[in-house]
Amino acid sequence: MDWRTKLLDPAPRARRDYTSLATPVYRGSTVLFDDQAAVTDDWRQAENGYSYGLYGTPTALELAARLADIEGARETFIVPGGQAAIALIYLSYCPAGSHALVPYSAYGPNKAMAEGLMRGVNVEVEPYDPLIGAGISDLIRDNTTLIWCESPGSVTMEIQDVPAIVQAAHARGVAVALDNTYAAGVMFDAFAHGVDVSMQALTKYVGGHSDLLLGAVSARDDAAYAKLGPIYQQLGLAVSPDDCSLALRGLQTLAVRLDALESATLKVANWLVDHPRVDQVFHPALPSCPGHKIWARDFTGTTSVFSFTFFEDLSADDVIGFVNALKVFKIGMSWGGVNSLAVVYPNLDRPNHDFGGRIVRLNIGLERVEDLVEDLAQAMQF
Ligand SMILES: *Cc1c(COP(=O)(O)O)cnc(C)c1O
């Protein structure tokens, strides 16, 4: 062979029997087949063999299989982010002309998709009170195909009675999807509580270091797997093997990070409870959190994100001043990494309550907790 041809020959020269603790980063779009008869375009790669990098390299499928094992799923799909996971579920479960239900405490971009893309394809997505429980029955219509749950809710932290919603939904043949990002897929057992399809933003706790964007969609059973798979294929939700490799590394330290984050977060939340300027603290382990009793019944722990409100004698500008005065806490969205973050929601949209710009969400990181409390105290000298 000419050296120019040798440059392109994919045949391995080095031994391939290298057994490491780390999952290799497999790059690759094209998959080589043994002969023409073996050529397929099958998204069921875990069962039927590799066909194309778009449906997952061994790095992505390793991450998927580990998550499925941890969550007790039939199968997990890895997608480019939490929002892509939400889109995959909507587009798999909501045909044109159907009706879906989403709690008004859902992640903002979920509601934006409901009112944007889904409305555009003639799907009506109706917001509901996250604390509705079994009362969801009254909202189910003949054309309802999907009920979203997110527990706790974004920013306002309502804990939902997922089993009651599942019972009402299944009685009418409606599927239930859960955004299980808060619980990192582990502090709330989605499938033991009857959910059909569970997603999480791996961006948060599994990544754990604010340096990657990935999402996971886990199917309860064959029916959910068969519904999601073709849409996953049609949308072309390919992920980077480098990001999957980082997420696999994140899994190795998930338990110790969650332990440390839980105890530091409880310390900060309890300190806020006693602060004279603080009105309510919305942390699932505290009785002041809406749905706290359901949390105690259904969850095995808490993680690092919660919110609190200031008393009404402070203005929205005072609250913005507080966040700007923080030094250790950084101002930023997203959460689940090693840094503590704070953000004000000046125009939080909730039908039953006007927070008047006095609600702040905190994400607790791995800094020394005494430094975090000191930082909050100095910024609260109004
Ligand atoms: C962050 C987040 C998402 C979206 O995840 P991305 O990876 O940022 O797209 C979805 N749901 C919840 C509850 C989130 O907090």
Side-chain angles (χ1 to χ4, degrees):
M1 265 190 274
D2 185 81
W3 67 271
R4 292 172 189 80
T5 306
K6 282 185 182 170
L7 288 177
L8 305 177
D9 177 10
R13 310 304 203 269
R15 298 179 60 139
R16 289 282 170 102
D17 53 344
Y18 183 84
T19 307
S20 159
L21 284 168
T23 304
V25 176
Y26 288 93
R27 296 178 199 288
S29 49
T30 297
V31 167
L32 300 182
F33 299 98
D34 286 343
D35 51 33
Q36 178 60 39
V39 175
T40 65
D41 183 31
D42 188 345
W43 59 269
R44 287 179 188 81
Q45 293 193 130
E47 292 106 315
N48 299 343
Y50 291 107
S51 62
Y52 191 39
L54 193 68
Y55 317 136
T57 60
T59 318
L61 292 200
E62 184 66 33
L63 175 60
R66 285 177 192 228
L67 288 168
D69 186 18
I70 292 162
E71 295 181 13
R74 159 70 171 81
E75 205 78 39
T76 295
F77 296 92
I78 307 298
V79 298
Q83 183 63 9
I86 290 168
L88 172 59
I89 292 170
Y90 267 124
L91 294 171
S92 300
Y93 279 88
C94 302
S98 66
H99 170 254
L101 290 158
V102 70
Y104 56 63
S105 52
Y107 178 64
N110 178 324
K111 292 185 289 180
M113 179 152 189
E115 285 152 28
L117 196 149
M118 299 315 292
R119 182 181 299 231
V121 297
N122 192 27
V123 174
E124 185 187 348
V125 186
E126 183 186 350
Y128 72 89
D129 178 348
L131 300 174
I132 197 167
I136 195 94
S137 283
D138 297 340
L139 301 181
I140 297 174
R141 305 179 192 170
D142 289 344
N143 64 338
T144 306
T145 55
L146 180 69
I147 300 174
W148 272 103
C149 292
E150 182 181 323
S151 180
S154 284
V155 190
T156 40
M157 306 296 291
E158 297 89 343
I159 316 293
Q160 295 198 261
D161 193 343
V162 173
I165 291 172
V166 164
Q167 201 183 3
H170 288 179
R172 299 279 297 273
V174 178
V176 176
L178 173 71
D179 187 332
N180 206 17
T181 301
Y182 173 87
V186 292
M187 297 282 192
F188 178 83
D189 187 337
F191 300 118
H193 289 98
V195 165
D196 297 284
V197 53
S198 177
M199 54 75 45
Q200 65 164 317
L202 302 175
T203 308
K204 308 287 168 49
Y205 293 114
V206 172
H209 297 77
S210 311
D211 56 1
L212 67 89
L213 290 146
L214 278 178
V217 177
S218 293
R220 171 189 194 80
D221 51 19
D222 288 346
Y225 184 48
K227 239 180 173 21
L228 293 159
I231 308 301
Y232 165 77
Q233 177 175 35
Q234 288 163 39
L235 289 173
L237 296 170
V239 294
S240 152
D242 296 285
D243 289 345
C244 292
S245 152
L246 287 173
L248 282 161
R249 186 161 70 173
L251 283 179
Q252 294 171 332
T253 57
L254 180 65
V256 286
R257 283 185 290 108
L258 288 177
D259 273 354
L261 294 173
E262 175 170 46
S263 72
T265 304
L266 278 165
K267 281 182 191 151
V268 175
N270 280 305
W271 181 83
L272 285 167
V273 166
D274 293 333
H275 196 282
R277 291 291 199 173
V278 171
D279 184 2
Q280 282 182 294
V281 180
F282 300 132
H283 181 292
L286 298 176
S288 50
C289 193
H292 161 74
K293 286 200 176 117
I294 293 167
W295 169 80
R297 186 190 70 191
D298 293 349
F299 282 68
T300 57
T302 52
T303 54
S304 68
V305 70
F306 72 100
S307 303
F308 69 96
T309 58
F310 285 106
F311 278 116
E312 289 193 6
D313 59 334
L314 291 181
S315 69
D317 282 347
D318 290 332
V319 177
I320 289 170
F322 154 75
V323 167
N324 285 335
L326 291 166
K327 295 187 172 78
V328 182
F329 280 85
K330 308 301 176 201
I331 301 173
M333 308 299 273
S334 202
W335 36 272
V338 299
N339 292 98
S340 292
L341 301 170
V343 67
V344 189
Y345 285 83
N347 303 309
L348 192 66
D349 176 26
R350 293 287 184 275
N352 55 347
H353 197 93
D354 179 10
F355 289 93
R358 283 182 298 274
I359 188 163
V360 177
R361 185 175 74 181
L362 298 182
N363 170 63
I364 304 304
L366 295 176
E367 303 92 341
R368 194 169 161 266
V369 72
E370 290 79 5
D371 290 340
L372 296 175
V373 165
E374 217 170 279
D375 192 31
L376 292 168
Q378 64 80 23
M380 280 194 199
Q381 283 163 356
F382 296 103

